[in-house]
Amino acid sequence: MDYFLDSVEKAGMRTVELWGGAPHFYMDALSYTDCTSVRRKAAARGLTIGAFTPESIIYPYNIAAPDPEQFAKSKSYFTNAVKATSELGCKLMTVNSGYGYLNETKEEAWARSADMLSHLARTAEQEGVVIAMEALRPEESQIVTTLADAKRMLDEIASPAFRLMVDTTAMGIAGETLEQWFDAAGESIVHLHFIDGNPYGHLAWGDGTFPLASMIQTLNDYGYQGLLGQEITDFRYYEHPDETDRRIMEAFEKYIGKD
């Protein structure tokens, strides 16, 4: 945790999206890391925790878990995540739809996902937190992988504490654009995983083919006021993540206002 916070501070970032995974932030169905300590570490470096992203792809916790016992423990885990978000002094938690068996219908998996997300939205309302759901790649899930799926889930959950986020990798793989997302979802979009890609990759800006300048112009055109989460997951960055953060900030510098 100290290495991460030191690195983003040196890179010039002032807000972080904290990924809730060990070893830096441990969480399970029963407990989670002392959030007060994490808040103090961030504040000591002049950093704000703008979003909390509990680990939600790697086994065993799954929003749409098909086994009843796994589903129950996943519900406890993600409920803890909502509470941790609040205790971190953060107002935004990001999630996805989860995933089901490949040999079951989409609707079977969808029902479990909607059940879990409805519960989490009600918990978020009580905790003063907003949940933002992203689409996944088809290799990761058969539930929410497109803008149409995301809109359907948004309408089904129908909670002021449940909103959408755009993941530019999933968006690119689906053949969609930022304009389409904002035209369809508008003010319901409260967060972005704004990363480069081919469209696959979750890459640092400059390592993919996405047009950064025109995409930022689109965000300005639609009056987007949220954060640009840098969800960089490609293995090439694992050895020197601090250098990658600095390079990302250099790519953004020309677009950052100085007033």
Side-chain angles (χ1 to χ4, degrees), residues 204-223:
W205 285 101
D207 291 345
T209 58
F210 290 166
L212 178 59
S214 64
M215 291 173 74
I216 287 180
Q217 184 60 55
T218 296
L219 297 180
N220 289 334
D221 291 343
Y222 283 89

Side-chain angles (χ1 to χ4, degrees), residues 53-229:
T53 301
E55 200 296 302
S56 55
I57 285 292
I58 303 170
Y59 196 84
Y61 301 111
N62 176 6
I63 292 273
D67 175 78
E69 182 177 359
Q70 185 193 12
F71 187 88
K73 290 185 176 179
S74 293
K75 180 176 284 189
S76 296
Y77 169 82
F78 287 108
T79 299
N80 274 346
V82 176
K83 295 177 180 178
T85 302
S86 178
E87 291 178 24
L88 286 165
C90 181
K91 298 298 183 183
L92 184 68
M93 183 178 103
T94 74
V95 299
N96 54 62
S97 64
Y99 49 94
Y101 289 131
L102 293 178
N103 62 346
E104 69 177 343
T105 68
K106 175 175 180 172
E107 293 307 312
E108 290 176 285
W110 183 283
R112 296 192 304 272
S113 177
D115 182 6
M116 180 76 78
L117 292 171
S118 293
H119 162 76
L120 295 177
R122 291 192 299 270
T123 304
E125 290 175 19
Q126 297 168 359
E127 295 290 337
V129 168
V130 171
I131 292 173
M133 182 196 69
E134 66 177 342
L136 292 173
R137 297 170 293 176
E139 296 88 344
E140 297 172 310
S141 177
Q142 78 278 49
I143 303 174
V144 174
T145 61
T146 67
L147 169 57
D149 293 333
K151 273 284 291 173
R152 177 188 168 191
M153 189 66 80
L154 176 71
D155 295 339
E156 191 165 322
I157 303 303
S159 166
F162 185 81
R163 290 291 179 261
L164 299 180
M165 62 180 287
V166 181
D167 181 291
T168 51
T169 294
M171 178 192 78
I173 291 167
E176 299 163 349
T177 66
L178 282 175
E179 289 86 351
Q180 290 173 325
W181 272 79
F182 279 98
D183 283 340
E187 294 181 356
S188 295
I189 299 172
V190 297
H191 191 56
L192 266 73
H193 277 169
F194 190 71
I195 57 268
D196 208 346
N198 287 316
Y200 284 87
H202 284 80
L203 305 177
W205 285 101
D207 291 345
T209 58
F210 290 166
L212 178 59
S214 64
M215 291 173 74
I216 287 180
Q217 184 60 55
T218 296
L219 297 180
N220 289 334
D221 291 343
Y222 283 89
Y224 176 71
Q225 298 293 312
L227 299 171
L228 304 178

